[in-house]
Amino acid sequence: MVDTEIIRTVVGIIGNVISFGLFVLTVPSLYRILKSKSVKGVRPEYHLAMIMSCVFWVFYGMPSIHPRHILVLTAYGIGLATQLAYLIIILLCANDNKQRMYVGGLFLIELVVISLVIGVVIRLAPTAETRRMLVEVCCIVSAGIVSGTEGVCTADVTKTRSVEYVEYPIVLGKILYALCWAIYALFGRISDSVLWAMNIGLVLVGVTQLMYYKSIAKSSAEKKYAMQVQVMGTGADKKKQ
């Protein structure tokens, strides 16, 4: 019988590989933004929310909180580096100083909130179990904020009926990433239930988003094709006349 700890370790390593793969997949997007000197189609609120979420998950994986979750720490550490890279480029390529001040201001507020929360957990939580519970609450809240900003991005797609800035490999990668950590938590202890529930939720949200984006892309393609056929038909009629 295979040891569940070995399964967890293997799945955790795969999760780290996927995390690094997601980082690689963001490079073309980062390059596109730098080359065009424009952050059009990029929601800074989403990346700010992701930074907060990654920080809390890194904190969750620290030995003082969860001694057996070092692979969670490294995976979300890679995610944190990715989101910080996005934030730096957004600040460099902001449309104007007003937008730069807006993003920078939100980031400073976020840093203050994160510092206060971590400080309170470390100094005031009396037991390891209490610390773990407080950090799990922070992870749940931050994941909710991320879901909210993703909802705004989905609303943008709905409003414009355009998936120009939707990167399907990244969306698919995020689904696989969440699925991986759900499996990792499944072979853990009862205390890993938050990690399992959060990632199962992310898998469902990701699959729903992917299907929705695909349906809009198909609808847009069919509409574009119909317009081309109509234009060609009009051109042919004019030639006959």
Side-chain angles (χ1 to χ4, degrees):
M1 189 173 183
V2 181
D3 189 350
T4 56
E5 195 61 35
I6 295 176
I7 296 176
R8 276 169 58 86
T9 301
V10 171
V11 173
I13 292 171
I14 294 172
N16 276 264
V17 172
I18 295 174
S19 183
F20 183 75
L22 286 171
F23 176 79
V24 173
L25 287 173
T26 63
V27 172
S29 298
L30 297 174
Y31 177 74
R32 172 179 59 80
I33 295 171
L34 282 171
K35 186 177 180 180
S36 63
K37 299 294 183 181
S38 172
V39 292
K40 183 180 179 182
V42 177
R43 279 271 180 184
E45 296 86 357
Y46 169 75
H47 297 289
L48 287 167
M50 280 296 296
I51 287 173
M52 177 179 287
S53 182
C54 286
V55 168
F56 285 133
W57 280 111
V58 167
F59 191 36
Y60 176 91
M62 291 182 68
S64 59
I65 305 298
H66 267 286
R68 300 166 61 249
H69 283 350
I70 188 66
L71 290 172
V72 174
L73 187 155
T74 54
Y76 279 94
I78 296 171
L80 179 59
T82 303
Q83 297 307 318
L84 286 173
Y86 258 112
L87 182 66
I88 291 170
I89 290 178
I90 288 171
L91 288 171
L92 290 174
C93 301
N95 298 328
D96 49 45
N97 287 331
K98 184 177 179 181
Q99 185 183 40
R100 194 172 287 110
M101 290 291 290
Y102 169 73
V103 176
L106 285 180
F107 183 54
L108 287 176
I109 293 171
E110 183 175 88
L111 287 179
V112 171
V113 171
I114 291 172
S115 300
L116 287 173
V117 170
I118 292 177
V120 167
V121 171
I122 292 175
R123 286 189 167 273
L124 301 183
T127 64
E129 186 63 32
T130 305
R131 284 196 298 271
R132 183 158 44 246
M133 183 185 69
L134 290 175
V135 176
E136 287 175 350
V137 170
C138 293
C139 290
I140 292 171
V141 172
S142 62
I145 295 172
V146 171
S147 297
T149 56
E150 284 188 327
V152 173
C153 295
T154 304
D156 288 343
V157 173
T158 303
K159 183 178 179 180
T160 61
R161 306 299 294 178
S162 171
V163 291
E164 180 183 358
Y165 298 105
V166 175
E167 295 165 321
Y168 292 106
I170 293 180
V171 177
L172 181 59
K174 286 162 63 178
I175 294 171
L176 295 175
Y177 181 80
L179 181 61
C180 181
W181 290 110
I183 295 172
Y184 175 89
L186 185 64
F187 286 94
R189 300 175 182 176
I190 296 176
S191 61
D192 294 337
S193 57
V194 170
L195 183 62
W196 179 85
M198 294 292 299
N199 282 285
I200 284 295
L202 290 175
V203 169
L204 295 175
V205 170
V207 170
T208 303
Q209 280 185 324
L210 188 63
M211 293 174 63
Y212 180 66
Y213 291 155
K214 285 289 187 181
S215 68
I216 286 193
K218 183 179 179 181
S219 175
S220 299
E222 289 174 349
K223 185 176 180 181
K224 185 177 180 181
Y225 176 74
M227 291 177 65
Q228 289 175 343
V229 170
Q230 185 178 4
V231 170
M232 291 175 63
T234 303
D237 291 341
K238 286 183 178 179
K239 285 182 180 180
K240 289 179 181 180
Q241 292 176 0

